[in-house]
Amino acid sequence: MIRFENVSKTYEGQTKAALLNVNIEIEKGEFVFLVGTSGSGKSTFLRLVLREHRTSKGHIMVAGKDLNRLASWRIPQMRRQIGTVFQDFRLLPNKTVAENVAFALQVIGKPRSHIRKTVPEVLELVGLEGKQDRLPDELSGGEQQRVAIARAFVNRPMILIADEPTGNLDPATSEGIMKLLDRINRTGTTVVMATHDVSIVNQMRKRVIELENGHVVRDESRGVYGYQH
Amino acid sequence: MRLNYILSDLGIGLKRNLSMTIAVVVTIWVSLALFGSALLANEQVDLMKGNWYDKIQISVFMCTKDSGGRGCSGTEVTQEQKNRIRQVIESNPDTAPDGVFGESKKEAFAQFKKLYKDSPIVSTVTEDQMQESYRVKLRDPQRYQNLVSAVAGLPGVDTVQDLRQYLDPLFEALKGLKIGAYIASGLLLLAALMQISNTIRLAAYARRREIGIMRLVGASNFYIQLPFLLEAILAALIGAILACGTLWLGVYFVVMRRAQETFKVWQWVGASETFRATLIMVVVGIILAVVPTFLTTRKYLKV
Ligand SMILES: Nc1ncnc2c1ncn2[C@@H]1O[C@H](COP(=O)(O)OP(=O)(O)OP(=O)(O)O)[C@@H](O)[C@H]1O
Ligand SMILES: [Mg+2]
């Protein structure tokens, strides 16, 4: 589903590479944790998958397509197959929960009937039934993140990318979010999640890829957060 | 693509930037109106030049019974006098070879009727009241003084009209006006361009959250740009329509109602030239809106 072939990324104006010679293959339906200290390149990894940046060297294949060869006008099409969730939720403050989720479908031109059917379904899936008319301000952090996940998932993407989705949440709320991501993963969606949350990684026992200074230093199929020497 | 979302976006955008939208409209209005005037001034100068300047340099009008020129004696010019006048003109070194054309009363009358075809004056004038004339082309349009003085005062010559004498200052003034209008409208158009691009930048900044999310969920660039484009095109169209209206009013009141009445002998720009100018103005206005909007929003869409 996602393949990094010898990928290096040096940001413009930087001398130090944010990613260096990364080779990774992530299969369809996998759940992958991306761990590493701050600045190790986790967000860079995810941004490259979204084609927010080009690689400096090497190739990234997403769903069989080489992102470097993708014409820029095809990028939006590619992004429709990838859902994205961030630490800061990124909701529109003047839109209700349902409108925030519907927005993702509206702007890619989905018919209204489809939107009316899908949005309540996905809100129920993320556990927000009955809260569809609230504004983001009127929700807890965990609930806001559920809205963001609903928005990321509403178009049934093949891949869900999450950059520290529990970074702003307390442990109990984080656990709920992880259950939700796990549920989404079980529908066949590939999930790649960057995190610093030790207990979550240790609990879930999923594949763990650890980055350090842009290098992959560990890749374990049922790993934990720290080194196990 | 759902039209109602786009339209509601457009409405929100216009409301949010109402004062800026008005500023853009006014700038486009003024700059396009000036630009249109410059286009018309250009046409006008060309019309005048084409009609008069290049064709005929000097007109030698000959006496009728009623004319009181120096060489007239209260009678119609005689054939003998005409021959003499023609001979003087043809032998003058400044006259172009085969540069002398006689205009009979009949031709003068026909020309008169053509020029004044819409005026009631035509019915009060008879062919007999027309003046016969020689029209003289010069070898060098700059050198006319010598010929004028040679012919003026000959028996049978009423007046010698050197049109350059009248036209030159006028053309100079018009040329200055034209260049001034082009420069001023060019500067204003540039200001409008920058103003639009600034407005769009601000509007895009105000909507950066939405734009960020749209990009993230895979909205097409066109979809993201469209509200901005529509907003800019709408402002440009309103400005252009106001400018076209202004130009039409200007042409109607200044040219059709005043200038054409006062200077009947000249051709003036009319509806067809104005129409052409307004078409160009609308196109320029739309380009003015689309290009900076496209470039500015594109910058926002990268990365
Ligand atoms: N847009 C950018 N321009 C220049 N350098 C950048 C940019 N984004 C990240 N970097 C640099 O690239 C390196 C990797 O950053 P990245 O954001 O991928 O780290 P991270 O693992 O996500 O860190 P964190 O855990 O703090 O989120 C860092 O050295 C960072 O300074
Ligand atoms: Mg990061």
Side-chain angles (χ1 to χ4, degrees), chain A residues 76 79-80 84 86 90-92 103-104 106-110 112 151, chain B residues 1-2 4-5 209-210 213-221 223 303:
Chain A
R79 287 191 184 142
R80 290 176 197 185
T84 328
F86 295 96
R90 302 201 187 172
L91 302 175
L92 295 172
F103 185 73
Q106 285 166 9
V107 301
I108 59 172
K110 291 285 184 206
R112 218 202 296 231
R151 182 180 65 195
Chain B
M1 196 133 301
R2 315 253 74 81
N4 50 339
Y5 299 138
R209 253 174 184 277
E210 268 124 306
I213 291 165
M214 286 193 219
R215 291 185 53 245
L216 211 59
V217 300
S220 67
N221 288 348
Y223 184 95
V303 177

Side-chain angles (χ1 to χ4, degrees), chain B residues 126-199:
Chain B
T126 63
E127 185 176 319
D128 205 44
Q129 288 172 300
M130 295 285 110
Q131 273 184 307
E132 275 185 79
S133 63
Y134 283 123
R135 305 286 161 109
V136 185
K137 269 198 178 146
L138 296 171
R139 263 180 214 283
D140 173 1
Q142 303 296 324
R143 296 182 51 185
Y144 53 93
Q145 213 51 52
N146 176 18
L147 181 65
V148 171
S149 52
V151 179
L154 284 180
V157 173
D158 180 8
T159 52
V160 181
Q161 242 182 38
D162 165 37
L163 286 171
R164 289 185 48 100
Q165 189 180 316
Y166 302 106
L167 293 180
D168 273 0
L170 183 77
F171 284 140
E172 282 307 307
L174 283 178
K175 201 168 125 191
L177 223 61
K178 191 177 89 178
I179 293 173
Y182 270 127
I183 291 176
S185 62
L187 287 175
L188 275 174
L189 289 175
L190 196 70
L193 202 83
M194 295 195 290
Q195 202 187 15
I196 291 174
S197 111
N198 264 329
T199 308

Side-chain angles (χ1 to χ4, degrees), chain A residues 37-44 46-47 87 163-164 194-196:
Chain A
T37 51
S38 198
S40 57
K42 304 182 293 296
S43 296
T44 302
L46 298 180
R47 278 189 218 121
Q87 182 174 358
D163 197 351
E164 300 185 35
T195 187
H196 287 291

Side-chain angles (χ1 to χ4, degrees), chain B residues 76-296:
Chain B
E76 200 80 24
V77 64
T78 64
Q79 189 57 45
E80 205 177 320
Q81 286 171 332
K82 283 195 280 187
N83 291 345
R84 171 75 189 138
I85 296 165
R86 186 171 189 119
Q87 194 197 339
V88 168
I89 296 171
E90 277 175 347
S91 62
N92 192 290
D94 289 341
T95 306
D98 298 322
V100 188
F101 306 91
E103 191 181 83
S104 67
K105 287 192 176 212
K106 198 173 162 194
E107 286 160 342
F109 191 56
Q111 182 75 10
F112 180 85
K113 280 198 292 193
K114 209 172 99 189
L115 275 174
Y116 288 78
K117 64 176 183 297
D118 299 325
S119 163
I121 217 173
V122 175
S123 56
T124 70
V125 172
T126 63
E127 185 176 319
D128 205 44
Q129 288 172 300
M130 295 285 110
Q131 273 184 307
E132 275 185 79
S133 63
Y134 283 123
R135 305 286 161 109
V136 185
K137 269 198 178 146
L138 296 171
R139 263 180 214 283
D140 173 1
Q142 303 296 324
R143 296 182 51 185
Y144 53 93
Q145 213 51 52
N146 176 18
L147 181 65
V148 171
S149 52
V151 179
L154 284 180
V157 173
D158 180 8
T159 52
V160 181
Q161 242 182 38
D162 165 37
L163 286 171
R164 289 185 48 100
Q165 189 180 316
Y166 302 106
L167 293 180
D168 273 0
L170 183 77
F171 284 140
E172 282 307 307
L174 283 178
K175 201 168 125 191
L177 223 61
K178 191 177 89 178
I179 293 173
Y182 270 127
I183 291 176
S185 62
L187 287 175
L188 275 174
L189 289 175
L190 196 70
L193 202 83
M194 295 195 290
Q195 202 187 15
I196 291 174
S197 111
N198 264 329
T199 308
I200 295 297
R201 207 197 316 278
L202 284 170
Y205 184 77
R207 299 189 49 195
R208 64 194 183 285
R209 253 174 184 277
E210 268 124 306
I211 293 178
I213 291 165
M214 286 193 219
R215 291 185 53 245
L216 211 59
V217 300
S220 67
N221 288 348
F222 184 67
Y223 184 95
I224 300 173
Q225 285 176 313
L226 198 61
F228 294 102
L229 285 173
L230 288 178
E231 212 173 307
I233 288 175
L234 195 69
L237 272 183
I238 295 172
I241 287 168
L242 288 171
C244 293
T246 308
L247 197 69
W248 274 108
L249 285 179
V251 168
Y252 181 71
F253 283 111
V254 176
V255 177
M256 292 179 174
R257 293 279 293 270
R258 295 281 294 280
Q260 265 178 358
E261 296 295 309
T262 319
F263 306 100
K264 292 217 160 147
V265 276
W266 291 331
Q267 269 191 23
W268 289 92
V269 290
S272 69
E273 284 88 357
T274 313
F275 183 68
R276 212 172 334 150
T278 54
L279 278 187
I280 295 174
M281 283 156 69
V282 170
V283 171
V284 168
I286 288 175
I287 291 173
L288 211 60
V290 169
V291 170
T293 305
F294 196 75
L295 293 180
T296 311

